[in-house]
Amino acid sequence: MVKPMPRLENCTWSCSCAARGRHKNQLEKTAVGLAAKVGEMLSSSVSSSPLTLVGHGTRTPSTSSLRSSSTNSLNLNQHLVQRSLVLFAVGAFMALVLNLLQIQRNVTLFPEEVIATIFSSAWWVPPCCGTAAAVVGLLYPCIDSHLGEPHKFKREWASVMRCIAVFVGINHASAKLDFANNVQLSLTLAALSLGLWWTFDRSRSGLGLGITIAFLATLITQFLVYNGVYQYTSPDFLYIRSWLPCIFFSGGVTVGNIGRQLAMGIPEKPHTD
């Protein structure tokens, strides 16, 4: 019995189908491999990229940090100007009041044309004292931050007001108290000034700045009196009274406490050796 021969078309069709199947499998494997490589590349690039997506846009961390730093610096500058204005006003007002007391007790003598001005004081006294108060009041917290010793002793406005009252009392005593000589008065005021520092400050920076302020202010006053701008009655320390450095010391401590209290809202700068 003779078997029929397979047809040539069937063989050709089967061979072409098998080849197409193998080619298709290779293409699928290649596509899968390429997709895996592209996914790895995308994931690595996204992980190493500094961009972060926020909503529909992109924002870099450097831009946000720059904006926050600029905002902080603007707030600090505004706070600095406000503190300076407050300290200037306090210094000018205290200079008017305390200098008036010295003039009324004939401790300080100005020329006759000056007495007719506001509060019987020279026009330059309030702005000079206001500027000095602003500088001193800003310097105290700055030195505390630089030394890494933030002042925490009696940081409240009630203590600051008591310190101001004691300072006014010391200045009042310098004009009201009568001693046998100026040396006894100077020693008494020196003890009161140190007591003011111990009661309301007790910091090394406050003591050092108070002594420096008293020394510089005394030199400036000696220069002004020497040039005839004004004068003191019964001078016993070159051209001035011997108790005047005590007033400058207690005034520096008082203004420093005001400046520290005004700077309470600013974060302390950490000290690094």
Side-chain angles (χ1 to χ4, degrees), residues 94-103 105 107-108 163-177 185 189 192-193 196 232 243-244 246-248 250-251:
M94 293 180 66
L96 285 173
V97 175
L98 299 180
N99 195 40
L100 176 62
L101 177 63
Q102 299 287 344
I103 293 174
R105 298 292 297 179
V107 176
T108 306
C163 182
I164 296 174
V166 173
F167 168 62
V168 174
I170 292 175
N171 190 85
H172 188 72
S174 66
K176 290 287 187 180
L177 295 180
L185 178 60
L189 295 180
L192 292 175
S193 300
L196 181 142
Y232 285 90
W243 45 259
L244 195 59
C246 303
I247 301 297
F248 291 142
S250 58

Side-chain angles (χ1 to χ4, degrees), residues 147-169:
L147 296 177
E149 299 177 352
H151 188 259
K152 301 295 184 182
F153 182 71
K154 292 187 177 181
R155 295 292 294 271
E156 55 185 4
W157 279 112
S159 177
V160 173
M161 297 306 295
R162 287 193 294 268
C163 182
I164 296 174
V166 173
F167 168 62
V168 174

Side-chain angles (χ1 to χ4, degrees), residues 43-92:
S43 62
S44 62
S45 63
V46 170
S47 61
S48 61
S49 175
L51 296 176
T52 56
L53 296 177
V54 179
H56 297 286
T58 59
R59 183 179 299 174
T60 59
S62 58
T63 305
S64 60
S65 62
L66 287 175
R67 290 181 179 177
S68 61
S69 61
S70 62
T71 303
N72 292 334
S73 62
L74 181 61
N75 292 334
L76 289 177
N77 291 334
Q78 292 178 350
H79 197 262
L80 183 65
V81 172
Q82 293 174 358
R83 289 160 53 201
S84 301
L85 293 176
V86 172
L87 289 168
F88 180 86
V90 171

Side-chain angles (χ1 to χ4, degrees), residues 178-199:
D178 294 327
F179 284 86
N181 51 48
N182 285 331
V183 177
Q184 294 180 357
L185 178 60
S186 301
L187 293 177
T188 302
L189 295 180
L192 292 175
S193 300
L194 289 175
L196 181 142
W197 167 79
W198 180 257
T199 305

Side-chain angles (χ1 to χ4, degrees), residues 114-147:
V114 173
I115 302 301
T117 59
I118 182 171
F119 286 107
S120 299
S121 179
W123 66 267
W124 50 267
V125 171
C128 290
C129 292
T131 303
V135 173
V136 172
L138 296 176
L139 188 61
Y140 264 76
C142 181
I143 295 297
D144 292 338
S145 177
H146 180 72
L147 296 177

Side-chain angles (χ1 to χ4, degrees), residues 12 33 68 77 169 200 215 261 266:
T12 304
S68 61
N77 291 334
F200 301 103
F215 177 75
Q261 190 65 33
I266 299 179

